[in-house]
Amino acid sequence: MTVRIATFNAENLLSRFDFSGFRNELRQDRVAQLYDFASEAQYRQAEIARAVSLTDDTRQMTALAIAEADADILCLQEVENLDTLHRFEYGYLFKMIGDGYRHKVLIDGNDQRGINLALMAREHTLDGASIEILETTSHAHLSYAEAGVYTPDLEGLAHPNERVFKRDCLEVDLRIGSKRLTVYVVHFKSMGGPRDGIDGRTYSMPVRLAEARAVRKIITDRFGAGGGGKRYLIAGDLNDYSERLVITGDRRNGYDFTPATADAGAVEALTEGGFTENVVQRREELDRWTLYHTRGPQERHLCQLDYLLASPALTRTSRDRLPDIVRSGQPWRTPFPPGQEVDRYPRTGWDRPKASDHCPVAMSFDLV
């Protein structure tokens, strides 16, 4: 029996408008910065028009990427609420796959912008096994102190009694046929830009490390040291990478992609000692990326931020299987290494509209 699981950061799957940019230019869309608005009311009307005009193409591409991933169980990041998810499925995804995902779970987490974690599942796997959601648990309330993950390098970044997860760790127990599976949906703290002369990844790393250690403790407390031989999967956007492809060159002369390793971080905290396997590592070195990062020509790279981290019990019979990375929703500005070019979805823009800045990752696992 096989189950196909995917993770996807859908990038602001929201149904509300954000008008805070009128008073805070850092929250203002870049096209709005081209204009002077005489009043907040005028700004609100312009923001509504901008968002509505962009959203339809964007969500069609988001749905296309989900349909292409073709998963039985889909783990999502950056979803506002269940109502938004229902509207998106009915208005967009249904037109591509029909009654695909009848099971949906979402619990409000800690993100102040209201972007949450969600899981959707079909009623049956593609090979006919029933899928049942048994229990859903939020760990949004867990503090650094309660998880035992507060360290001295967090001073100035967090207090021991603060909540450790910037969004949540959403724990979902499922029964697939007669087999049990537990999925942990996560979305760790973003890296941000440089601060105090320190690059964003290094500066924010203690927070992500604490989140990763907290996830590992949750699993260990439940299943025992080493995971107890249970089937579990950590799925989501870790906002961290172990390696990247540094990009040099330009469109006229061509691009070069140079592999570079990174200091150990949140990924290693979850894979160390064989606790989980990052299945994307099975792909070729130049073909593991799920996101294009750029701050201009001086800072460009491709990297993996989106993960399926599978327990040994989940991967022991799938050693030769490779995960899929869906890149057809990437904008045209994303440079692809040679041989990886794809047909983009219709109406994809240079920077936007796009399916997301992230790529879905999907893989089929044997349940034995």
Side-chain angles (χ1 to χ4, degrees), residues 126-308:
L126 295 181
D127 58 7
S130 62
I131 301 176
E132 181 183 359
I133 293 178
L134 303 176
E135 188 173 358
T136 302
T137 304
S138 168
H139 295 280
H141 64 280
L142 189 68
S143 72
Y144 290 94
E146 289 169 332
V149 297
Y150 193 84
T151 55
D153 54 1
L154 282 163
E155 292 184 12
L157 295 172
H159 187 275
N161 292 326
E162 289 180 7
R163 296 181 175 187
V164 62
F165 294 117
K166 296 307 164 191
R167 282 91 181 183
D168 197 355
C169 172
L170 186 63
E171 180 178 358
V172 184
D173 288 305
L174 304 108
R175 181 184 291 119
I176 303 162
S178 61
K179 307 296 183 181
R180 294 286 295 261
L181 171 68
T182 304
V183 177
Y184 297 86
V185 190
V186 299
H187 186 187
F188 290 173
K189 178 176 173 55
S190 61
M191 296 186 210
R195 186 169 176 179
D196 299 332
I198 304 173
D199 68 89
R201 178 177 183 267
T202 302
Y203 185 86
S204 55
M205 181 61 74
V207 178
R208 281 190 302 282
L209 276 174
E211 290 181 290
R213 290 164 180 158
V215 172
R216 185 160 180 159
K217 184 176 187 301
I218 289 168
I219 297 173
T220 300
D221 284 351
R222 178 174 177 183
F223 296 130
K230 302 297 185 180
R231 300 183 197 90
Y232 55 84
L233 180 80
I234 304 167
D237 175 4
L238 269 59
N239 268 315
D240 201 6
Y241 53 80
S242 300
E243 57 189 11
R244 56 185 178 145
L245 300 177
V246 178
I247 302 170
T248 54
D250 53 43
R251 295 180 67 196
R252 176 177 295 179
N253 300 300
Y255 295 102
D256 290 317
F257 300 86
T258 305
T261 57
D263 294 337
V267 182
E268 288 75 17
L270 291 168
T271 58
E272 185 180 10
F275 188 72
T276 64
E277 178 192 348
N278 173 15
V279 295
V280 170
Q281 284 283 321
R282 299 180 180 187
R283 296 172 66 99
E284 296 293 331
E285 186 176 34
L286 297 185
D287 197 21
R288 299 169 182 162
W289 60 274
T290 67
L291 178 132
Y292 170 50
H293 167 83
T294 180
R295 294 185 186 274
Q298 291 74 37
E299 185 178 332
R300 296 174 298 174
H301 65 251
L302 299 169
C303 63
Q304 181 192 0
L305 295 188
D306 305 275
Y307 294 84
L308 296 175

Side-chain angles (χ1 to χ4, degrees), residues 84-125:
T84 299
L85 195 55
H86 284 303
R87 293 186 197 184
F88 167 70
E89 184 193 22
Y90 181 77
Y92 293 91
L93 197 54
F94 177 83
K95 299 179 184 300
M96 299 171 193
I97 64 172
D99 290 322
Y101 297 99
R102 291 294 186 90
H103 303 302
K104 300 181 185 68
V105 295
L106 183 151
I107 299 176
D108 288 339
N110 297 323
D111 190 278
Q112 294 182 349
R113 292 187 297 149
I115 55 174
N116 296 303
L117 308 176
L119 182 145
M120 301 198 301
R122 303 178 190 269
E123 291 187 302
H124 296 87
T125 65

